[in-house]
Amino acid sequence: MHYQDLVLQPLKQLLADYPWLEDFFGSFGLQLQATEQTLQQYLDRLDPDHLLDLGISQEQLQQSLHDFMAGMLALDEAAEKVESLTIIGGFDKTGSAEQLELTLKPGEVICIVGPTGSGKSRLLADIEWVAQGDTPTKRKILINGGVPDNKWRFSTEHKLVAQLSQNMNFVMDLTAEEFVRMHAESRLVPDPEEKVARILEQANQLAGEQFKPDTPVTSLSGGQSRALMIADMAILSKSPIVLIDEIENAGIDRKKALELLVKQEKIILMATHDPILALMGDKRLVIKNGGIAKIIASSDAERKNLSRLEELDNTLLALRNRIRFGETLEEL
């Protein structure tokens, strides 16, 4: 919808659809009420003298509103639905062609497996950069079957990919609650407090040891930090593609983390050495010598084995917890 059409809409409807309007007018010391009055009527009835006292003229306010709404609507349009991501093969470290074209859909979990140094992180980087034959592997990434718009590659506002790397450090002197609230408010989401509460709750369900909302982010452990960012990524991020590098090293409930992300209908690619995570995926990309050497679809037999592996993993987890809490293992 264009600006000219929006200003003719009732404020009640506009505030429900675009809650960031309240923040815009609030920044000028003006208040919007959810009434049947249109936005244009509201603007026309503003007292010019009052506006001058606030340091802005009627014309300046309307121009600022026009520019602001154009930018915010462009962000909403940029969050267009990604229905598919296609990886067109490049070359491995020896120069051999990968000879593949793999299309991924929202809700799919793709695991990237291979020895350390085989090129798993390179594949994640190609996807993050929306490579167009201009990376060392010469791979190409298509979005919805076509060459993606440059906004996906170069714009800081229109991020196609949310990535969680192996190494993460906070440098801001904020509590966990303040950090998440700042992120929620920067995205101008409706009911930011509800989002903050959900993220903190989900993060504590994922973390090995729970933390309080007033815990400084610089005091969070590695596992707590990644749990917080996974919950934040799932609930706040509009990025339709999630890249995760070795989540098993985070000390979090990896199964719950994966389920949380899958619920959001995102395309998930995860580099891992963990056999349980590998079998949780819909497909496995086997990386060898810098290239995709094999694509394996998880079979029914592997799904059955996954249940057995999860039982063994739960047993090991119980033993780990006994060690953590100072118990002996003289009896198993």
Side-chain angles (χ1 to χ4, degrees):
M1 188 176 290
H2 298 293
Y3 173 81
Q4 293 85 351
D5 300 317
L6 287 172
V7 294
L8 300 178
Q9 297 290 316
L11 287 175
K12 184 177 181 180
Q13 185 63 46
L14 285 176
L15 288 172
D17 294 340
Y18 309 108
W20 35 260
L21 279 172
E22 187 173 3
D23 293 305
F24 172 82
F25 283 95
S27 69
F28 291 101
L30 299 169
Q31 288 188 334
L32 285 184
Q33 300 293 331
T35 65
E36 295 300 327
Q37 171 181 222
T38 69
L39 179 55
Q40 188 61 60
Q41 289 171 336
Y42 171 82
L43 292 170
D44 292 340
R45 292 171 184 172
L46 287 173
D47 183 354
D49 292 333
H50 178 57
L51 288 177
L52 288 176
D53 289 340
L54 296 175
I56 191 169
S57 68
Q58 178 79 256
E59 293 75 19
Q60 289 172 326
L61 177 64
Q62 296 216 33
Q63 184 60 51
S64 295
L65 176 62
H66 176 277
D67 295 342
F68 179 76
M69 291 185 72
M72 293 304 297
L73 291 172
L75 284 178
D76 288 340
E77 290 171 6
E80 61 190 70
K81 188 170 180 60
V82 172
E83 297 177 351
S84 69
L85 177 147
T86 301
I87 302 170
I88 298 178
F91 301 88
D92 66 14
K93 293 176 182 177
T94 68
S96 299
E98 290 179 310
Q99 295 182 339
L100 66 89
E101 184 171 319
L102 176 65
T103 298
L104 313 177
K105 304 285 187 179
E108 282 191 294
V109 178
I110 308 300
C111 294
I112 304 169
V113 300
T116 298
S118 61
K120 298 187 297 297
S121 296
R122 176 70 263 168
L123 174 57
L124 294 180
D126 285 347
I127 296 169
E128 182 183 16
W129 296 346
V130 197
Q132 294 300 304
D134 50 3
T135 65
T137 64
K138 305 299 181 185
R139 293 186 183 110
K140 293 183 179 179
I141 305 298
L142 305 182
I143 303 299
N144 297 337
V147 176
D149 191 286
N150 279 338
K151 69 186 178 186
W152 295 121
R153 307 194 71 198
F154 306 119
S155 172
T156 56
E157 294 90 356
H158 308 142
K159 294 296 287 182
L160 177 70
V161 168
Q163 181 169 18
L164 190 63
S165 65
Q166 296 184 50
N167 301 312
M168 183 173 58
N169 296 295
F170 289 105
V171 295
M172 303 179 74
D173 187 20
L174 297 172
T175 66
E177 183 176 32
E178 289 169 339
F179 174 79
V180 176
R181 182 180 292 111
M182 179 184 292
H183 187 198
E185 290 177 347
S186 72
R187 289 188 175 273
L188 299 175
V189 296
D191 198 358
E193 292 303 321
E194 183 269 338
K195 297 288 193 302
V196 171
R198 279 181 59 202
I199 289 169
L200 293 173
E201 179 185 1
Q202 290 289 348
N204 273 309
Q205 289 181 16
L206 299 178
E209 183 173 342
Q210 296 198 346
F211 58 92
K212 295 180 179 180
D214 60 358
T215 302
V217 291
T218 51
S219 298
L220 296 176
S221 68
Q224 290 170 332
S225 297
R226 295 188 90 185
L228 181 63
M229 294 315 299
I230 287 172
D232 181 277
M233 185 186 295
I235 295 170
L236 276 185
S237 175
K238 292 183 178 180
S239 300
I241 300 168
V242 174
L243 307 181
I244 304 176
D245 206 353
E246 298 189 16
I247 194 175
E248 65 268 22
N249 295 333
I252 64 174
D253 189 322
R254 55 202 190 281
K255 184 176 181 180
K256 283 185 180 178
L258 210 53
E259 289 173 348
L260 178 62
L261 291 168
V262 169
K263 283 180 184 176
Q264 307 304 314
E265 284 296 300
K266 297 177 184 288
I267 298 172
I268 302 168
L269 293 104
M270 178 171 51
T272 184
H273 295 285
D274 188 324
I276 292 179
L277 284 176
L279 294 185
M280 282 181 181
D282 299 290
K283 295 184 181 75
R284 299 195 296 282
L285 307 186
V286 182
I287 309 297
K288 182 179 180 181
N289 204 22
I292 300 174
K294 190 184 295 185
I295 301 173
I296 302 173
S298 297
S299 66
D300 291 338
E302 285 185 327
R303 297 294 188 194
K304 291 180 181 178
N305 288 333
L306 174 60
S307 298
R308 294 175 59 194
L309 285 173
E310 287 178 326
E311 290 176 7
L312 291 172
D313 189 57
N314 288 334
T315 300
L316 288 173
L317 179 60
L319 293 175
R320 288 193 201 101
N321 287 335
R322 286 174 62 181
I323 291 291
R324 286 172 181 163
F325 294 112
E327 298 182 27
T328 64
L329 298 182
E330 293 174 354
E331 295 184 6
L332 298 178

